[in-house]
Amino acid sequence: MDQNRERRNLPPLNLHVPEPRFRPGDTVDFSGLDIEAAGTTRRPDETASPADMRDMAYGLVRVLDDEHRAVGPWDPRLDGETLLKMLRAMALTRAFDERMFRAQRQGKTSFYMKCTGEEAVSVAAAFALHHDDMCFPSYRQQGLLIARDWSLVDMMNQIYSNRADRLQGKQLPIMYSSKEASFFSISGNLATQCPQAVGWAMASAAKGDTRIAAFWCGEGSTAEGDFHSACTFASVYRAPVILNVVNNQWAISSFSGFAGAEATTFAARAVGYGIAGLRIDGNDPLAVYAATKWASDRARANAGPTLIEHFTYRVEGHSTSDDPSQYRSVMESDEWPLGDPIKRLKRHLIGLGLWDAERHAAMDLELAEYVKNCAKESERNGVLGHGLHQPLDTLFEGVFEHMPWHLREQRDQMFAEWEASKK
Amino acid sequence: MNMVQAINSAMDVMMERDPDVVVLGEDVGYFGGVFRATAGLQQKYGKTRVFDTPITECGIIGVAVGMGAYGLRPVPEIQFADYIYPALDQLVSEAARLRYRSAGEFTAPITVRSPFGGGIFGGQTHSQSPEGIFTHVSGIKTVIPSTPYDAKGLLIAAIEDNDPVIFFEPKRIYNGPFDGHYDRPSKNWAGNADAQVLEGYYRIDLGKARTVREGEVLTILCYGAMVHVVSSTVAEMGIDADIIDLRTLVPIDIEAVEASVKKTGRCMIVHEATRTSGFGAELSALVQERCFYALEAPIERVTGFDTPYPHSLEWAYFPGPVRIGEAIKKILKD
Ligand SMILES: Cc1ncc(C[n+]2csc(CCOP(=O)(O)OP(=O)(O)O)c2C)c(N)n1
């Protein structure tokens, strides 16, 4: 009674539901975004205590400045040859995306997802890791495979679910798997790869190995319980793992605010777990390289895990099934203040005198041609829709190591029904 | 050995034989597990092979899947089967599908141990029998022992198996073969022939049922603690029943089931789990499809009721001698 009377004078409670700043038709103005100048963020020692680097979770590691020069303590001082290779792998990733997106529109496959604008996040990271460090990617890190020189034809075979598909047409397009490239089988269920990567890293440590693991998940996926489990395990066992959060601002139609971005940064999640956290410019290939190298050195020195937030932007639709103009302003990607990772590295290399616009244009043509030829080669193995490419019994293979009686029986019944229907 | 000791011995044997076997879970390390199933293992094999984990079932299984992908053979424990649900996504979407979705590139050779079943006044969250959730998932094997001897042999086979195995341990019979008479003094395993457990390595192949008792008038399909309740009820009533302990639910030993029902013409299914969509429904369908012309009476199911597991009314819920006895009378009447 008394309490009820007291409460009468209080304002009604108010539920806050986040809303992105710009919707379709809105004029985009990112000037309010707090972006530090390149080179201003300090670089702690690789073995620094997480408690001594909390500021890093709120800063923004950037190497390439507005004039595309490499500046500051995070400049990895890479040689020209490596930089050119990195540029090429990013451009190849984009060319691959273009071609496969078109293939989907042409009906050659059911589904595709581009990583446009996010090429640095995977390609530059791959350059900083050892080739046998285990990657647990999401569906948007095709750049890892490409940077590891994995066969494009093999990737396309998977996308087309054709007769050369090593995954026997069992997986949705782009859910690659390559043990040989230390690229873990992609799952459709978000964030499940996070604790798995930590477990892999724990196993490596328990065995006295020197290999480390890394996972990539979108900022939207950090809201899943698996992300929390992964951070807890990584922290508790000081696992040699890199936790990459690719903050591309969008999770399908939901802006990052629905994963908690209005209140804090994703790198700051690390603070609560006692993990080293770095927030970096994900469109700056040199920053991605430097941060990944820092984190891998830290892991290999048994100094523990690192959470890296890659601040970037998802330039294209979520997938071939998505139309982003339904929920965000089309101006956003052009206005994005951190620019385009390929153009930035290109201009950096031109500035160093190692590259020029003509060579770049020629490279783009050459890569497009190369991807086209790979596609032709892959398409000779068939595309989706051209019938059933795999022997029918592969449907039942691989559920278990040895096929149990009930699957054998179901397989035989399927064959019998097909036979009977022909009569 | 009692069943806990047999389970402990299986892990000991496998850790000794295979340096890739690791044990992880809540309280399994220093303390040796809330049921003592992992007692002494950390002391013997060290903290990097037997370790306590944070309280996150999705983390425990997720990490085990990653360790399996590395090449280890993890044996994670979920403290009670009632708490396996936070790990369902990792079990159903990941462990079960990994071999299939990667066409064999990556596998999840993990054995998830978990105490399950009621009869201990565990109430809603220390009594459940969720096996039907897992038998419904392609890519997972489900194993449930009913004796110390079987528990060790089956657990060794499960750990050696290259596919994910859910290993449910009926905690009511950890210490003795419970006959369902909650009002009588409980027995322990001492002196029981099924508790004569060999010290070293032996295995019982998965997918093979055990004939507990041979009989002519009725087949009873059961597993876990129910094997003992059924056996003692049948003995008390003097029924010449064929009792089959399934031991592995997936893949099930269909030959044993078929042979028995075709011989007796009657089939009864007993499990603690709730009735609707429980594993008994699958058993009933299999028997109906394969033994239709041999059946002389409708298939009878004695199961837990379709309610959450109660506390005070446990013995009304539990498929004990009364409920099983009445069902036997009914099925033999036709
Ligand atoms: C467990 C789960 N829930 C929902 C989905 C459907 N889904 C697929 S992608 C996606 C958005 C993920 O966004 P984010 O993590 O930010 O990654 P991004 O797509 O931006 O790279 C959703 C909701 C899913 N695949 N898995």
Side-chain angles (χ1 to χ4, degrees):
Chain A
M1 267 291 270
D2 273 349
Q3 275 191 355
N4 279 345
R5 195 173 313 134
E6 264 174 44
R7 276 208 289 262
R8 253 196 315 226
N9 292 329
L10 292 174
L13 292 171
N14 180 340
L15 178 70
H16 173 69
V17 180
E19 183 61 30
R21 285 173 63 203
F22 315 111
R23 285 296 194 186
D26 288 350
T27 303
V28 170
D29 175 11
F30 279 127
S31 59
L33 214 61
D34 195 14
I35 291 174
E36 292 178 33
T40 53
T41 308
R42 73 188 179 99
R43 186 183 183 286
D45 187 79
E46 280 89 343
T47 57
S49 152
D52 293 336
M53 49 182 295
R54 287 183 185 165
D55 55 313
M56 303 299 300
Y58 301 94
L60 197 67
V61 172
R62 306 182 69 208
V63 174
L64 293 173
D65 68 11
D66 294 344
E67 270 77 53
H68 311 291
R69 291 173 308 213
V71 294
W74 285 91
D75 177 6
R77 298 175 191 281
L78 291 174
D79 59 74
E81 195 189 335
T82 306
L83 291 172
L84 284 166
K85 272 196 201 151
M86 212 188 268
L87 179 72
R88 188 180 170 84
M90 288 201 290
L92 181 55
T93 303
R94 188 165 292 180
F96 181 83
D97 273 0
E98 288 299 329
R99 185 89 206 170
M100 289 296 101
F101 187 88
R102 199 137 36 96
Q104 192 277 336
R105 291 297 189 241
Q106 293 166 340
K108 291 174 180 169
T109 185
S110 60
F111 184 73
Y112 191 72
M113 292 173 111
K114 288 174 143 187
C115 68
T116 313
E118 302 172 43
E119 291 88 349
V121 164
S122 49
V123 170
F127 273 76
L129 293 170
H130 294 174
H131 68 92
D132 54 356
D133 287 335
M134 191 68 185
C135 296
F136 289 77
S138 84
Y139 44 72
R140 224 182 284 283
Q141 280 80 46
Q142 53 267 53
L144 289 171
L145 278 175
I146 291 172
R148 284 181 169 176
D149 292 326
W150 191 250
S151 151
L152 297 193
V153 175
D154 183 76
M155 293 168 75
M156 290 166 171
N157 289 339
Q158 198 280 328
I159 290 167
Y160 292 140
S161 272
N162 61 24
R163 61 181 161 270
D165 175 12
R166 283 181 304 106
L167 305 188
Q168 302 177 318
K170 284 172 164 152
Q171 268 279 46
L172 193 71
I174 71 153
M175 305 275 178
Y176 314 106
S177 175
S178 173
K179 195 167 192 171
E180 209 183 317
S182 294
F183 183 99
F184 190 70
S185 155
I186 297 174
S187 170
N189 291 58
L190 294 174
T192 50
Q193 77 274 21
C194 303
Q196 292 166 359
V198 176
W200 196 98
M202 287 170 64
S204 182
K207 282 287 181 184
D209 199 340
T210 56
R211 291 176 293 166
I212 66 169
F215 75 66
W216 284 256
C217 76
E219 90 291 342
S221 303
T222 61
E224 291 283 2
D226 298 63
F227 181 77
H228 168 65
S229 305
C231 292
T232 304
F233 268 82
S235 166
V236 167
Y237 303 97
R238 295 189 199 153
V241 62
I242 306 174
L243 322 172
N244 291 293
V245 175
V246 183
N247 177 4
N248 63 12
Q249 317 301 322
W250 291 93
I252 310 186
S253 75
S254 304
F255 88 114
S256 57
F258 285 99
E262 285 184 334
T264 184
T265 71
F266 292 96
R269 301 273 186 257
V271 174
Y273 293 101
I275 295 176
L278 297 173
R279 187 164 174 272
I280 71 166
D281 176 350
N283 288 13
D284 177 345
L286 297 187
V288 173
Y289 179 96
T292 308
K293 188 73 175 54
W294 187 94
S296 74
D297 287 347
R298 177 178 180 83
R300 271 185 251 277
N302 282 309
T306 304
L307 190 159
I308 303 175
E309 174 185 351
H310 303 257
F311 197 68
T312 178
Y313 188 81
R314 195 196 77 211
V315 172
E316 294 277 352
H318 172 71
S319 71
T320 47
S321 314
D322 180 44
D323 173 9
S325 71
Q326 297 291 311
Y327 51 80
R328 70 184 189 188
S329 170
V330 291
M331 287 177 68
E332 272 198 16
S333 70
D334 288 337
E335 292 297 316
W336 183 246
L338 296 176
D340 177 90
I342 298 180
K343 285 191 190 140
R344 284 172 71 187
L345 185 56
K346 169 188 163 187
R347 299 218 174 101
H348 174 61
L349 278 158
I350 291 173
L352 292 176
L354 296 169
W355 198 237
D356 54 51
E358 291 72 41
R359 273 187 275 182
H360 194 89
M363 177 182 77
D364 276 343
L365 281 177
E366 180 220 320
L367 291 178
E369 187 64 19
Y370 171 61
V371 172
K372 191 168 101 188
N373 289 335
C374 290
K376 277 192 186 149
E377 190 183 332
S378 169
E379 285 167 28
R380 278 198 287 275
N381 299 316
V383 298
L384 191 75
H386 287 183
L388 304 167
H389 291 296
Q390 300 285 334
L392 292 190
D393 38 353
T394 58
L395 172 59
F396 298 92
E397 280 167 12
V399 180
F400 296 102
E401 183 181 28
H402 306 290
M403 199 182 295
W405 71 268
H406 63 287
L407 288 176
R408 285 199 306 272
E409 202 176 272
Q410 289 168 29
R411 177 196 60 189
D412 295 347
Q413 187 182 347
M414 177 189 76
F415 279 123
E417 284 163 359
W418 280 75
E419 283 307 313
S421 74
K422 283 185 204 145
K423 288 190 186 127
Chain B
M1 291 184 201
N2 66 27
M3 196 185 269
V4 176
Q5 290 160 334
I7 285 161
N8 182 281
S9 173
M11 283 184 275
D12 190 6
V13 165
M14 285 313 295
M15 295 197 77
E16 181 90 54
R17 282 169 74 94
D18 182 350
D20 289 334
V21 174
V22 294
V23 167
L24 63 154
E26 295 155 18
D27 305 298
V28 303
Y30 184 86
F31 177 57
V34 293
F35 291 104
R36 318 302 304 146
T38 55
L41 295 179
Q42 185 178 76
Q43 248 175 327
K44 192 161 170 190
Y45 298 102
K47 288 200 292 184
T48 56
R49 292 191 62 198
V50 182
F51 55 89
D52 294 313
T53 63
I55 304 167
T56 154
E57 289 72 18
C58 112
I60 291 168
I61 302 302
V63 157
V65 169
M67 292 183 138
Y70 178 90
L72 301 190
R73 206 169 271 281
V75 186
E77 175 183 300
I78 300 295
Q79 206 160 69
F80 288 86
D82 314 67
Y83 306 128
I84 204 165
Y85 309 121
L88 266 191
D89 189 35
Q90 285 287 346
L91 287 168
V92 175
S93 313
E94 301 295 316
R97 311 249 196 270
L98 190 52
R99 178 189 293 279
Y100 193 76
R101 78 171 195 231
S102 69
E105 268 201 332
F106 295 98
T107 59
I110 68 174
T111 301
V112 182
R113 289 184 40 249
S114 190
F116 97 127
I120 57 152
F121 275 113
Q124 294 189 23
T125 57
H126 299 81
S127 309
Q128 295 170 39
S129 299
E131 68 274 16
I133 291 174
F134 296 97
T135 56
H136 188 55
V137 176
S138 44
I140 282 184
K141 296 181 180 173
T142 303
V143 178
I144 301 176
S146 71
T147 68
Y149 184 84
D150 280 6
K152 179 168 173 182
L154 288 167
L155 182 53
I156 285 175
I159 294 171
E160 285 183 334
D161 200 283
N162 290 325
D163 288 309
V165 179
I166 305 282
F167 193 85
F168 280 136
E169 303 166 0
K171 57 187 172 299
R172 183 61 184 82
I173 56 170
Y174 267 159
N175 294 316
F178 180 56
D179 61 10
H181 289 287
Y182 58 92
D183 44 358
R184 297 182 193 165
S186 53
K187 290 187 246 1
N188 60 33
W189 284 107
N192 189 305
D194 291 329
Q196 304 296 312
V197 178
L198 307 175
E199 286 294 333
Y201 172 92
Y202 68 95
R203 56 176 281 156
I204 297 172
D205 287 343
L206 306 186
K208 293 269 176 281
R210 174 175 74 102
T211 302
V212 181
R213 176 191 191 289
E214 278 192 80
E216 299 298 327
V217 302
L218 164 68
T219 295
I220 306 182
L221 305 177
C222 52
Y223 48 89
M226 284 301 121
V227 170
H228 304 282
V229 183
V230 165
S231 298
S232 95
T233 308
V234 161
E236 283 164 18
M237 294 172 73
I239 305 289
D240 188 24
D242 215 46
I243 302 177
I244 296 184
D245 173 4
L246 295 171
R247 301 201 287 200
T248 301
L249 305 193
V250 173
I252 193 172
D253 186 347
I254 195 66
E255 286 169 12
V257 172
E258 247 184 270
S260 172
V261 177
K262 283 182 177 160
K263 175 178 70 173
T264 65
R266 286 182 162 83
C267 177
M268 201 172 116
I269 296 155
V270 184
H271 62 57
E272 281 178 71
T274 48
R275 187 181 185 88
T276 302
S277 303
F279 189 64
E282 179 62 31
L283 286 172
S284 175
L286 285 171
V287 169
Q288 190 273 141
E289 286 160 5
R290 290 163 184 268
C291 310
F292 184 77
Y293 296 105
L295 286 175
E296 290 165 30
I299 298 162
E300 195 70 34
R301 277 186 287 165
V302 185
T303 68
F305 297 116
D306 283 337
T307 67
Y309 202 104
H311 188 242
S312 74
L313 295 180
E314 169 147 58
W315 301 116
Y317 175 98
F318 192 85
V322 173
R323 296 187 55 209
I324 294 169
E326 289 308 307
I328 290 175
K329 285 187 222 159
K330 183 177 167 208
I331 197 172
L332 290 180
K333 221 167 43 202
D334 293 294

